[in-house]
Amino acid sequence: MKKHNLFTILFLILIVLGGNTIQAQEEAKESPFSVNVDLMSRYVWRGTDFGASPSIQPGLSFNKWGLTVGAWGAYATNLPGVQEADLYLSYNITDMFTLTFTDYFFPDEINGYKYFNYKEASTGHIFEGSISFNGTEKFPLSVLLATNFYGADARRLNDDGTTGNIQYSTYAELSYAFKYFEAFMGFNLTTPDADKGEAGFYGDSFGVVNLGVSAAKDIQITEKFSLPLTASLITNPQSEKIYLVVGFSF
C-alpha cells in the first residue's frame, strides 16, 4: 500500500471508530473524543528546544478499547518559527505496556512544504515506533524506547561521501514519579561518525541528552474549575543547555 495513503487511512479509522459516537455519548458518561490545548513558555522535547519562544500545543484524540488515534501540534509564537503537526496511533497492550506509532512533521512556513510527500529521499515526515513501560502504583518507574525507522532522520554517510541510509536514531528515557515531583533521564543511543561529518538526530554522540525534574499543581479558579500548572527544569548535558519551562493545560 502506498505510504501517501497514511493520512487517509488514519482519517478513515477515526470515522469508523467514531461512527456511533452520538449513541455512545448517550449511553456513556464520557466521550471517547478528547480535545485539549497546552500553553507553554517553551517547547522543549527530549532535551532540544524547538522554536525558542512560547508554544501553543493543541491536541485531538479518540480513545476506545485501549486504542488511541490522535493528532498533536506545537506552534511557536515567533512566526514563522518552528511548527509541528503530528499524527499518532497507540495501543495499550496491558495497563503497563503501550505501543505507539508516530508520524512527526514540521511544516516549513518559509520555503513552503508538501505534506503528502512520503518519498523516502525527500519527505519531511519522520516515522517513529516506540514501546513504553508505564510503571505501577507501587513501582512508578516508566521506561520509553523509541526509534525512527523512516523519513527525514539523520543520515549515514558512505566512505565515498555519498548519502547512505538513515541512522535509525534511537532514544531511551527513564522517569520516576516521587510524591511531589517526577525525575527523568533521557539518552541518545545513536553514535554518529564525526570523522565522516555525520550529525545526530538527538545529539552528536551516545549519552544523556535530557535530564531534569517536573512538578504539577492545580490552581483553583472557582469552586468547580481549576487550572493545571506544570513546571519543568530541563538540562541537556551533551549540548550544555538548561531550560525552565512552565505551562497551563486546558
Side-chain angles (χ1 to χ4, degrees), residues 120-177:
E120 185 174 12
S122 57
T123 184
H125 293 264
I126 302 170
F127 291 177
E128 176 193 84
S130 67
I131 184 170
S132 60
F133 169 73
N134 306 316
T136 65
E137 185 176 350
K138 293 183 178 180
F139 186 57
L141 173 69
S142 298
V143 182
L144 169 71
L145 183 64
T147 299
N148 296 342
F149 63 88
Y150 184 86
D153 185 31
R155 296 268 169 178
R156 293 289 185 189
L157 297 178
N158 299 319
D159 292 334
D160 60 2
T162 59
T163 300
N165 295 324
I166 62 174
Q167 294 182 12
Y168 297 96
S169 297
T170 301
Y171 175 83
E173 183 175 296
L174 305 175
S175 61
Y176 192 90

Short mmCIF file of all heavy atoms in Angstrom, two decimals, residues 120-177:
data_model
loop_
_atom_site.label_atom_id
_atom_site.label_comp_id
_atom_site.label_asym_id
_atom_site.label_seq_id
_atom_site.Cartn_x
_atom_site.Cartn_y
_atom_site.Cartn_z
N GLU A 120 10.88 8.59 0.31
CA GLU A 120 11.91 8.45 1.35
C GLU A 120 13.02 9.50 1.22
O GLU A 120 13.51 10.02 2.23
CB GLU A 120 12.53 7.05 1.30
CG GLU A 120 13.53 6.80 2.41
CD GLU A 120 14.01 5.36 2.43
OE1 GLU A 120 13.76 4.63 1.46
OE2 GLU A 120 14.65 4.98 3.42
N ALA A 121 13.42 9.82 -0.01
CA ALA A 121 14.56 10.73 -0.20
C ALA A 121 14.21 12.19 0.03
O ALA A 121 15.11 13.00 0.30
CB ALA A 121 15.12 10.56 -1.61
N SER A 122 12.93 12.55 -0.04
CA SER A 122 12.58 13.97 0.03
C SER A 122 11.50 14.31 1.04
O SER A 122 11.18 15.48 1.22
CB SER A 122 12.13 14.46 -1.36
OG SER A 122 11.03 13.69 -1.84
N THR A 123 10.93 13.33 1.71
CA THR A 123 9.84 13.60 2.64
C THR A 123 10.31 14.38 3.86
O THR A 123 11.46 14.26 4.30
CB THR A 123 9.16 12.29 3.09
OG1 THR A 123 8.04 12.60 3.91
CG2 THR A 123 10.13 11.42 3.89
N GLY A 124 9.40 15.16 4.42
CA GLY A 124 9.68 15.85 5.67
C GLY A 124 9.13 15.10 6.87
O GLY A 124 9.28 15.54 8.01
N HIS A 125 8.48 13.97 6.63
CA HIS A 125 7.91 13.15 7.70
C HIS A 125 9.00 12.30 8.35
O HIS A 125 9.96 11.89 7.71
CB HIS A 125 6.82 12.24 7.16
CG HIS A 125 5.60 12.96 6.69
ND1 HIS A 125 4.48 13.14 7.46
CD2 HIS A 125 5.33 13.55 5.50
CE1 HIS A 125 3.57 13.81 6.79
NE2 HIS A 125 4.05 14.07 5.59
N ILE A 126 8.80 12.02 9.62
CA ILE A 126 9.65 11.08 10.35
C ILE A 126 8.74 10.07 11.02
O ILE A 126 7.87 10.44 11.82
CB ILE A 126 10.51 11.78 11.42
CG1 ILE A 126 11.38 12.87 10.79
CG2 ILE A 126 11.37 10.76 12.16
CD1 ILE A 126 12.06 13.76 11.80
N PHE A 127 8.91 8.80 10.70
CA PHE A 127 8.12 7.74 11.32
C PHE A 127 8.90 7.16 12.49
O PHE A 127 10.07 6.80 12.36
CB PHE A 127 7.82 6.62 10.32
CG PHE A 127 6.87 7.01 9.23
CD1 PHE A 127 6.56 6.10 8.22
CD2 PHE A 127 6.27 8.27 9.18
CE1 PHE A 127 5.67 6.43 7.20
CE2 PHE A 127 5.39 8.61 8.18
CZ PHE A 127 5.09 7.69 7.18
N GLU A 128 8.21 7.06 13.62
CA GLU A 128 8.84 6.51 14.83
C GLU A 128 7.96 5.42 15.42
O GLU A 128 6.74 5.54 15.49
CB GLU A 128 9.02 7.62 15.87
CG GLU A 128 9.59 7.13 17.20
CD GLU A 128 9.46 8.15 18.31
OE1 GLU A 128 8.36 8.21 18.94
OE2 GLU A 128 10.42 8.89 18.54
N GLY A 129 8.61 4.35 15.87
CA GLY A 129 7.94 3.31 16.62
C GLY A 129 8.48 3.30 18.03
O GLY A 129 9.68 3.45 18.25
N SER A 130 7.60 3.15 19.01
CA SER A 130 8.07 3.17 20.39
C SER A 130 7.27 2.18 21.24
O SER A 130 6.14 1.83 20.92
CB SER A 130 7.95 4.58 21.00
OG SER A 130 6.59 4.95 21.14
N ILE A 131 7.89 1.77 22.32
CA ILE A 131 7.24 0.94 23.33
C ILE A 131 7.55 1.55 24.69
O ILE A 131 8.67 2.02 24.93
CB ILE A 131 7.69 -0.53 23.25
CG1 ILE A 131 6.90 -1.37 24.26
CG2 ILE A 131 9.19 -0.67 23.46
CD1 ILE A 131 7.11 -2.87 24.09
N SER A 132 6.56 1.57 25.55
CA SER A 132 6.76 2.15 26.87
C SER A 132 6.24 1.23 27.95
O SER A 132 5.21 0.56 27.79
CB SER A 132 6.08 3.52 26.98
OG SER A 132 4.68 3.41 26.77
N PHE A 133 6.97 1.20 29.04
CA PHE A 133 6.53 0.54 30.27
C PHE A 133 6.03 1.65 31.18
O PHE A 133 6.76 2.58 31.49
CB PHE A 133 7.69 -0.24 30.90
CG PHE A 133 7.39 -0.73 32.30
CD1 PHE A 133 6.50 -1.79 32.49
CD2 PHE A 133 7.97 -0.15 33.40
CE1 PHE A 133 6.21 -2.24 33.76
CE2 PHE A 133 7.69 -0.60 34.69
CZ PHE A 133 6.81 -1.65 34.87
N ASN A 134 4.77 1.57 31.61
CA ASN A 134 4.13 2.67 32.30
C ASN A 134 4.24 2.62 33.81
O ASN A 134 3.71 3.51 34.50
CB ASN A 134 2.64 2.72 31.91
CG ASN A 134 2.47 2.77 30.40
OD1 ASN A 134 3.16 3.49 29.70
ND2 ASN A 134 1.55 1.96 29.88
N GLY A 135 4.93 1.63 34.32
CA GLY A 135 5.10 1.53 35.76
C GLY A 135 3.84 1.04 36.45
O GLY A 135 2.80 0.78 35.83
N THR A 136 3.92 0.93 37.77
CA THR A 136 2.78 0.51 38.59
C THR A 136 2.63 1.49 39.74
O THR A 136 3.49 2.35 39.98
CB THR A 136 2.99 -0.90 39.14
OG1 THR A 136 4.10 -0.90 40.05
CG2 THR A 136 3.25 -1.90 38.02
N GLU A 137 1.54 1.37 40.45
CA GLU A 137 1.29 2.27 41.59
C GLU A 137 2.37 2.10 42.65
O GLU A 137 2.82 3.08 43.25
CB GLU A 137 -0.09 1.99 42.17
CG GLU A 137 -0.48 2.96 43.29
CD GLU A 137 -1.90 2.72 43.78
OE1 GLU A 137 -2.63 1.94 43.13
OE2 GLU A 137 -2.27 3.31 44.81
N LYS A 138 2.79 0.87 42.89
CA LYS A 138 3.80 0.62 43.91
C LYS A 138 5.22 0.87 43.40
O LYS A 138 6.13 1.12 44.19
CB LYS A 138 3.68 -0.81 44.42
CG LYS A 138 2.40 -1.08 45.19
CD LYS A 138 2.38 -2.49 45.74
CE LYS A 138 1.11 -2.75 46.57
NZ LYS A 138 1.08 -4.13 47.11
N PHE A 139 5.40 0.79 42.08
CA PHE A 139 6.73 1.00 41.49
C PHE A 139 6.57 1.92 40.28
O PHE A 139 6.53 1.47 39.13
CB PHE A 139 7.34 -0.34 41.07
CG PHE A 139 8.76 -0.24 40.60
CD1 PHE A 139 9.75 0.30 41.41
CD2 PHE A 139 9.11 -0.68 39.33
CE1 PHE A 139 11.07 0.39 40.96
CE2 PHE A 139 10.41 -0.59 38.87
CZ PHE A 139 11.40 -0.06 39.69
N PRO A 140 6.47 3.24 40.52
CA PRO A 140 6.15 4.21 39.45
C PRO A 140 7.34 4.59 38.57
O PRO A 140 7.62 5.77 38.35
CB PRO A 140 5.62 5.41 40.23
CG PRO A 140 6.38 5.37 41.53
CD PRO A 140 6.55 3.90 41.84
N LEU A 141 8.01 3.59 38.05
CA LEU A 141 9.11 3.82 37.13
C LEU A 141 8.61 3.60 35.71
O LEU A 141 8.08 2.54 35.38
CB LEU A 141 10.26 2.85 37.41
CG LEU A 141 11.42 2.88 36.39
CD1 LEU A 141 12.19 4.19 36.51
CD2 LEU A 141 12.34 1.68 36.60
N SER A 142 8.77 4.60 34.85
CA SER A 142 8.37 4.49 33.45
C SER A 142 9.61 4.38 32.58
O SER A 142 10.63 5.02 32.84
CB SER A 142 7.55 5.71 33.02
OG SER A 142 6.36 5.79 33.78
N VAL A 143 9.51 3.57 31.52
CA VAL A 143 10.62 3.36 30.59
C VAL A 143 10.11 3.52 29.17
O VAL A 143 9.08 2.93 28.80
CB VAL A 143 11.26 1.96 30.77
CG1 VAL A 143 12.44 1.80 29.82
CG2 VAL A 143 11.68 1.73 32.21
N LEU A 144 10.81 4.32 28.37
CA LEU A 144 10.44 4.53 26.96
C LEU A 144 11.62 4.17 26.06
O LEU A 144 12.77 4.52 26.36
CB LEU A 144 10.08 6.00 26.73
CG LEU A 144 9.92 6.45 25.27
CD1 LEU A 144 8.65 5.85 24.67
CD2 LEU A 144 9.90 7.97 25.16
N LEU A 145 11.33 3.47 24.98
CA LEU A 145 12.32 3.19 23.95
C LEU A 145 11.70 3.53 22.60
O LEU A 145 10.65 2.98 22.24
CB LEU A 145 12.75 1.72 23.98
CG LEU A 145 13.84 1.31 22.98
CD1 LEU A 145 15.15 2.03 23.30
CD2 LEU A 145 14.04 -0.20 23.00
N ALA A 146 12.33 4.46 21.85
CA ALA A 146 11.74 4.95 20.59
C ALA A 146 12.80 4.99 19.50
O ALA A 146 13.93 5.44 19.73
CB ALA A 146 11.15 6.34 20.80
N THR A 147 12.41 4.56 18.28
CA THR A 147 13.34 4.51 17.15
C THR A 147 12.70 5.10 15.90
O THR A 147 11.57 4.74 15.55
CB THR A 147 13.77 3.06 16.86
OG1 THR A 147 14.45 2.52 17.99
CG2 THR A 147 14.72 3.01 15.67
N ASN A 148 13.42 5.97 15.21
CA ASN A 148 12.99 6.44 13.89
C ASN A 148 13.29 5.35 12.87
O ASN A 148 14.41 4.83 12.83
CB ASN A 148 13.75 7.71 13.50
CG ASN A 148 13.45 8.88 14.41
OD1 ASN A 148 12.45 8.88 15.12
ND2 ASN A 148 14.31 9.89 14.40
N PHE A 149 12.30 5.02 12.03
CA PHE A 149 12.54 3.94 11.07
C PHE A 149 12.27 4.33 9.62
O PHE A 149 12.46 3.53 8.72
CB PHE A 149 11.72 2.69 11.45
CG PHE A 149 10.23 2.88 11.40
CD1 PHE A 149 9.52 2.66 10.23
CD2 PHE A 149 9.53 3.26 12.54
CE1 PHE A 149 8.14 2.82 10.19
CE2 PHE A 149 8.15 3.42 12.51
CZ PHE A 149 7.46 3.20 11.33
N TYR A 150 11.85 5.59 9.39
CA TYR A 150 11.62 6.01 8.00
C TYR A 150 11.57 7.53 7.94
O TYR A 150 11.14 8.19 8.88
CB TYR A 150 10.30 5.44 7.48
CG TYR A 150 10.03 5.74 6.01
CD1 TYR A 150 10.54 4.92 5.00
CD2 TYR A 150 9.29 6.86 5.65
CE1 TYR A 150 10.30 5.20 3.66
CE2 TYR A 150 9.05 7.15 4.31
CZ TYR A 150 9.56 6.33 3.32
OH TYR A 150 9.33 6.61 2.00
N GLY A 151 12.02 8.07 6.81
CA GLY A 151 11.83 9.50 6.57
C GLY A 151 13.04 10.36 6.86
O GLY A 151 14.19 9.96 6.64
N ALA A 152 12.78 11.56 7.36
CA ALA A 152 13.80 12.60 7.49
C ALA A 152 14.63 12.47 8.76
O ALA A 152 14.86 13.43 9.49
CB ALA A 152 13.13 13.98 7.44
N ASP A 153 15.08 11.27 9.03
CA ASP A 153 16.01 11.03 10.13
C ASP A 153 17.40 11.44 9.69
O ASP A 153 17.67 11.65 8.50
CB ASP A 153 15.98 9.54 10.49
CG ASP A 153 16.83 9.22 11.72
OD1 ASP A 153 16.96 10.08 12.60
OD2 ASP A 153 17.37 8.10 11.78
N ALA A 154 18.32 11.59 10.65
CA ALA A 154 19.72 11.86 10.30
C ALA A 154 20.25 10.72 9.44
O ALA A 154 19.86 9.56 9.61
CB ALA A 154 20.55 12.00 11.57
N ARG A 155 21.14 11.04 8.52
CA ARG A 155 21.62 10.06 7.53
C ARG A 155 23.06 9.64 7.80
O ARG A 155 23.89 10.42 8.26
CB ARG A 155 21.53 10.65 6.14
CG ARG A 155 20.11 10.96 5.68
CD ARG A 155 19.52 9.79 4.93
NE ARG A 155 18.10 9.93 4.70
CZ ARG A 155 17.39 9.06 4.02
NH1 ARG A 155 17.96 7.99 3.51
NH2 ARG A 155 16.08 9.22 3.86
N ARG A 156 23.33 8.39 7.48
CA ARG A 156 24.71 7.90 7.47
C ARG A 156 25.38 8.39 6.20
O ARG A 156 24.74 8.63 5.18
CB ARG A 156 24.73 6.37 7.50
CG ARG A 156 24.22 5.77 8.80
CD ARG A 156 25.17 6.01 9.94
NE ARG A 156 24.74 5.34 11.16
CZ ARG A 156 25.31 5.52 12.34
NH1 ARG A 156 26.31 6.37 12.47
NH2 ARG A 156 24.87 4.87 13.40
N LEU A 157 26.71 8.53 6.26
CA LEU A 157 27.50 8.90 5.09
C LEU A 157 28.40 7.74 4.72
O LEU A 157 29.06 7.15 5.58
CB LEU A 157 28.33 10.15 5.36
CG LEU A 157 27.54 11.43 5.67
CD1 LEU A 157 28.49 12.58 5.97
CD2 LEU A 157 26.63 11.79 4.51
N ASN A 158 28.42 7.41 3.42
CA ASN A 158 29.28 6.34 2.95
C ASN A 158 30.73 6.81 2.91
O ASN A 158 31.04 7.99 3.01
CB ASN A 158 28.83 5.88 1.56
CG ASN A 158 27.41 5.34 1.57
OD1 ASN A 158 27.02 4.63 2.49
ND2 ASN A 158 26.64 5.68 0.53
N ASP A 159 31.64 5.84 2.75
CA ASP A 159 33.07 6.16 2.73
C ASP A 159 33.43 7.10 1.58
O ASP A 159 34.39 7.87 1.67
CB ASP A 159 33.90 4.88 2.63
CG ASP A 159 33.80 4.04 3.89
OD1 ASP A 159 33.54 4.62 4.97
OD2 ASP A 159 33.98 2.81 3.80
N ASP A 160 32.66 7.05 0.50
CA ASP A 160 32.96 7.92 -0.64
C ASP A 160 32.27 9.28 -0.53
O ASP A 160 32.31 10.08 -1.47
CB ASP A 160 32.55 7.23 -1.95
CG ASP A 160 31.07 6.90 -2.01
OD1 ASP A 160 30.34 7.24 -1.04
OD2 ASP A 160 30.62 6.30 -3.01
N GLY A 161 31.61 9.53 0.61
CA GLY A 161 30.96 10.82 0.82
C GLY A 161 29.51 10.89 0.40
O GLY A 161 28.85 11.89 0.64
N THR A 162 29.02 9.84 -0.23
CA THR A 162 27.61 9.84 -0.65
C THR A 162 26.69 9.57 0.55
O THR A 162 27.13 9.00 1.56
CB THR A 162 27.36 8.79 -1.74
OG1 THR A 162 27.73 7.49 -1.23
CG2 THR A 162 28.19 9.11 -2.97
N THR A 163 25.45 9.95 0.41
CA THR A 163 24.49 9.78 1.50
C THR A 163 24.00 8.33 1.55
O THR A 163 23.61 7.76 0.53
CB THR A 163 23.29 10.71 1.30
OG1 THR A 163 23.75 12.06 1.29
CG2 THR A 163 22.28 10.54 2.43
N GLY A 164 24.02 7.77 2.74
CA GLY A 164 23.58 6.39 2.92
C GLY A 164 22.19 6.31 3.54
O GLY A 164 21.39 7.24 3.40
N ASN A 165 21.94 5.24 4.24
CA ASN A 165 20.65 5.03 4.88
C ASN A 165 20.50 5.90 6.12
O ASN A 165 21.47 6.49 6.61
CB ASN A 165 20.47 3.56 5.25
CG ASN A 165 20.42 2.66 4.05
OD1 ASN A 165 19.88 3.04 3.01
ND2 ASN A 165 20.99 1.46 4.16
N ILE A 166 19.29 5.96 6.66
CA ILE A 166 19.08 6.71 7.88
C ILE A 166 19.79 6.03 9.04
O ILE A 166 20.14 4.85 8.97
CB ILE A 166 17.58 6.86 8.19
CG1 ILE A 166 16.92 5.49 8.41
CG2 ILE A 166 16.86 7.61 7.08
CD1 ILE A 166 15.48 5.57 8.87
N GLN A 167 19.98 6.78 10.13
CA GLN A 167 20.70 6.24 11.28
C GLN A 167 19.81 5.42 12.22
O GLN A 167 20.30 4.85 13.18
CB GLN A 167 21.33 7.39 12.08
CG GLN A 167 22.42 8.13 11.35
CD GLN A 167 23.05 9.22 12.21
OE1 GLN A 167 22.80 9.28 13.41
NE2 GLN A 167 23.83 10.09 11.61
N TYR A 168 18.52 5.41 11.95
CA TYR A 168 17.58 4.77 12.87
C TYR A 168 17.81 5.32 14.29
O TYR A 168 18.01 4.56 15.25
CB TYR A 168 17.73 3.25 12.84
CG TYR A 168 17.38 2.66 11.50
CD1 TYR A 168 18.37 2.38 10.55
CD2 TYR A 168 16.05 2.43 11.15
CE1 TYR A 168 18.04 1.87 9.30
CE2 TYR A 168 15.72 1.91 9.90
CZ TYR A 168 16.72 1.64 8.99
OH TYR A 168 16.38 1.12 7.75
N SER A 169 17.80 6.64 14.38
CA SER A 169 18.06 7.31 15.65
C SER A 169 17.15 6.78 16.74
O SER A 169 15.93 6.67 16.57
CB SER A 169 17.85 8.82 15.48
OG SER A 169 18.76 9.34 14.54
N THR A 170 17.77 6.48 17.89
CA THR A 170 17.05 5.83 18.98
C THR A 170 17.21 6.60 20.27
O THR A 170 18.30 7.08 20.61
CB THR A 170 17.55 4.39 19.18
OG1 THR A 170 17.36 3.66 17.95
CG2 THR A 170 16.80 3.68 20.29
N TYR A 171 16.08 6.72 20.98
CA TYR A 171 16.05 7.47 22.23
C TYR A 171 15.45 6.59 23.33
O TYR A 171 14.49 5.85 23.09
CB TYR A 171 15.19 8.72 22.05
CG TYR A 171 14.96 9.54 23.31
CD1 TYR A 171 15.91 10.47 23.73
CD2 TYR A 171 13.79 9.40 24.05
CE1 TYR A 171 15.69 11.22 24.87
CE2 TYR A 171 13.56 10.15 25.18
CZ TYR A 171 14.52 11.07 25.59
OH TYR A 171 14.30 11.83 26.72
N ALA A 172 16.02 6.66 24.52
CA ALA A 172 15.50 5.93 25.67
C ALA A 172 15.34 6.89 26.84
O ALA A 172 16.14 7.82 27.00
CB ALA A 172 16.43 4.78 26.05
N GLU A 173 14.30 6.66 27.63
CA GLU A 173 14.08 7.55 28.78
C GLU A 173 13.57 6.78 29.98
O GLU A 173 12.72 5.89 29.85
CB GLU A 173 13.07 8.64 28.40
CG GLU A 173 12.83 9.67 29.51
CD GLU A 173 11.93 10.80 29.07
OE1 GLU A 173 12.33 11.55 28.15
OE2 GLU A 173 10.81 10.91 29.63
N LEU A 174 14.11 7.14 31.14
CA LEU A 174 13.65 6.61 32.41
C LEU A 174 13.04 7.76 33.20
O LEU A 174 13.60 8.86 33.23
CB LEU A 174 14.81 6.01 33.22
CG LEU A 174 15.65 4.93 32.54
CD1 LEU A 174 16.83 4.56 33.44
CD2 LEU A 174 14.81 3.70 32.25
N SER A 175 11.89 7.53 33.82
CA SER A 175 11.29 8.56 34.67
C SER A 175 10.69 7.88 35.89
O SER A 175 10.15 6.77 35.81
CB SER A 175 10.23 9.35 33.91
OG SER A 175 9.18 8.52 33.48
N TYR A 176 10.79 8.57 37.02
CA TYR A 176 10.28 8.02 38.27
C TYR A 176 9.43 9.06 38.97
O TYR A 176 9.86 10.21 39.17
CB TYR A 176 11.43 7.58 39.18
CG TYR A 176 10.97 6.75 40.36
CD1 TYR A 176 10.87 5.36 40.26
CD2 TYR A 176 10.61 7.36 41.56
CE1 TYR A 176 10.43 4.59 41.33
CE2 TYR A 176 10.17 6.60 42.64
CZ TYR A 176 10.08 5.21 42.52
OH TYR A 176 9.65 4.46 43.57
N ALA A 177 8.20 8.69 39.32
CA ALA A 177 7.27 9.61 39.96
C ALA A 177 7.39 9.53 41.48
O ALA A 177 7.00 8.52 42.09
CB ALA A 177 5.84 9.30 39.52
#
